[in-house]
Amino acid sequence: MRRVEEFEELRPLLFSIAYRILGSVSEAEDAVQETWLRYEASPTLPRSTRAFLSAVVTRVAIDVLRSARVRREEYVGPWFPEPLLADPYQDPSRSAELADSVSMAALLLLERLSPLERAVFVLREVFEFSFREIASAVERSEVACRQLAVQARRHMDAGRPRFEVDRKEREELAERFFDAFREGDVDGVWGLLAADVQMVGDSGGKAPQWGNGIFGAENVARVFAALVPAFVRIGGIVEPHEVNGQPGAVFRDRNGKVVNTLALDISDGQIQTIRLVFNPDKLGHIGVVADAWAVIRETNQARQSQDRPTSAVVLVDGLPQIVQGRH
């Protein structure tokens, strides 16, 4: 088998390793490309192509992550990973486990780890590499890698939800949620949310920013009931779609351009967190990106022109603000 064929066969694995380490589709793709260049330039063929390429992409990703962490500290507002609509690496026997490992919640937990801890955790816990392979990849001893794995697992376990949810139950709950908010059904949305649910958006200062977030089941339900029906009336499309291995949606304008993505974090039979990505820099791999400000303004106009009772959500500068009490 020629080098290019071997590489293409392993590309899905390499991307999936890099994405979990970096939390960025574009940076993961760049890391995979750099891995190919190094493989192509290598004068000799490795004994194990899989081990060699996995080690190279891991080292490249660690280097990129070290510089990226500085940029993320200066990021405007909440930072979320770039949304991933489909993980190219598939293992039918571990599909649920792989999906959970790429969820927004899991990737945000990984942000708490050092670059080395993160790489070791991903290789060991997600892709089941041996400690010998991991030691070669991160250029540390096996003993050191075992210690890093224990530390990383401890941090990850401390942040994981106490309750697991059946994937079928999760999908059914998400379907009811999308049906209710399309119809502007406040009570229907409200009944699926945890009392302390939070809805947070990542704009990076380049799109509508929802402050520090919207908190509480009533407030979140009212925002959806106020905005989504109006968004649909102006031709907006709510496209249910798996986002980072979890139930979610892609919002598009009437021309099919991407406005934002939405991902649901579900556990204990309720929606715990709703994460929206508006930053246009993080959406280009999904499709042509819309002007989110223009969409918000048009949605606001459609909502104001509709003859309906005033709700407990008002729009200030195009963005949702909660007022107390029912109107």
Side-chain angles (χ1 to χ4, degrees), residues 56-132:
V56 172
V57 80
T58 297
R59 291 177 202 141
V60 171
I62 288 173
D63 289 342
V64 173
L65 181 60
R66 285 173 174 149
S67 61
R69 287 169 78 91
V70 176
R71 296 194 301 274
R72 290 174 191 177
E73 289 173 359
E74 300 171 350
Y75 195 80
V76 178
W79 179 92
F80 295 154
E82 289 184 14
L84 183 68
L85 300 191
D87 187 354
Y89 178 76
Q90 299 295 323
D91 180 348
S93 66
R94 302 177 61 239
S95 58
E97 184 180 351
L98 288 170
D100 287 343
S101 74
V102 82
S103 70
M104 288 277 185
L107 292 175
L108 288 171
L109 282 176
L110 283 171
E111 283 290 305
R112 303 179 184 181
L113 308 182
S114 71
L116 272 179
E117 287 176 334
R118 186 164 181 163
V120 169
F121 183 88
V122 167
L123 292 177
R124 181 63 181 174
E125 299 295 330
V126 179
F127 295 102
E128 300 182 324
F129 279 67
S130 69
F131 279 110
R132 181 179 179 180

Side-chain angles (χ1 to χ4, degrees), residues 23-222:
S24 165
V25 172
S26 56
E27 289 175 348
E29 289 174 342
D30 288 345
V32 172
Q33 181 60 24
E34 176 63 23
T35 300
W36 162 249
L37 294 175
R38 296 188 188 187
Y39 180 48
E40 185 182 35
S42 177
T44 59
L45 289 174
R47 180 177 301 175
S48 168
T49 304
R50 179 180 182 273
F52 175 82
L53 294 176
S54 298
V56 172
V57 80
T58 297
R59 291 177 202 141
V60 171
I62 288 173
D63 289 342
V64 173
L65 181 60
R66 285 173 174 149
S67 61
R69 287 169 78 91
V70 176
R71 296 194 301 274
R72 290 174 191 177
E73 289 173 359
E74 300 171 350
Y75 195 80
V76 178
W79 179 92
F80 295 154
E82 289 184 14
L84 183 68
L85 300 191
D87 187 354
Y89 178 76
Q90 299 295 323
D91 180 348
S93 66
R94 302 177 61 239
S95 58
E97 184 180 351
L98 288 170
D100 287 343
S101 74
V102 82
S103 70
M104 288 277 185
L107 292 175
L108 288 171
L109 282 176
L110 283 171
E111 283 290 305
R112 303 179 184 181
L113 308 182
S114 71
L116 272 179
E117 287 176 334
R118 186 164 181 163
V120 169
F121 183 88
V122 167
L123 292 177
R124 181 63 181 174
E125 299 295 330
V126 179
F127 295 102
E128 300 182 324
F129 279 67
S130 69
F131 279 110
R132 181 179 179 180
E133 292 171 314
I134 296 170
S136 174
V138 302
E139 299 177 308
R140 295 292 190 275
S141 69
E142 287 188 45
V143 172
C145 289
R146 290 180 185 276
Q147 292 173 339
L148 287 166
V150 169
Q151 293 167 6
R153 194 180 302 116
R154 185 182 301 123
H155 285 302
M156 295 295 288
D157 288 344
R160 284 193 173 116
R162 292 175 300 158
F163 304 98
E164 297 299 327
V165 60
D166 177 81
R167 291 192 68 81
K168 183 178 180 182
E169 177 187 346
R170 179 187 299 169
E171 291 166 2
E172 290 174 349
L173 189 151
E175 184 176 355
R176 297 202 306 274
F177 171 78
F178 287 121
D179 287 343
F181 88 45
R182 278 196 202 92
E183 298 168 2
D185 179 359
V186 176
D187 292 334
V189 172
W190 193 343
L192 301 172
L193 303 175
D196 58 351
V197 65
Q198 54 182 318
M199 182 164 67
V200 188
D202 172 348
S203 74
K206 299 181 179 182
Q209 173 62 45
W210 290 18
N212 294 323
I214 296 170
F215 304 90
E218 179 177 3
N219 291 336
V220 170
R222 289 191 177 282

Side-chain angles (χ1 to χ4, degrees), residues 177-178 180-186 189-190 193 197-200 210 214 216-232 238 249 251 260-264 271 273-276 278 299 303 308 311 313 320 322:
F177 171 78
F178 287 121
F181 88 45
R182 278 196 202 92
E183 298 168 2
D185 179 359
V186 176
V189 172
W190 193 343
L193 303 175
V197 65
Q198 54 182 318
M199 182 164 67
V200 188
W210 290 18
I214 296 170
E218 179 177 3
N219 291 336
V220 170
R222 289 191 177 282
V223 166
F224 276 125
L227 298 184
V228 174
F231 174 72
V232 172
V238 181
F251 285 63
N260 66 280
T261 61
L262 175 151
L264 300 176
I271 297 170
T273 308
I274 302 168
R275 297 185 177 90
L276 304 103
F278 288 95
T299 299
R303 180 172 176 267
R308 59 185 298 178
S311 75
V313 179
I322 306 297

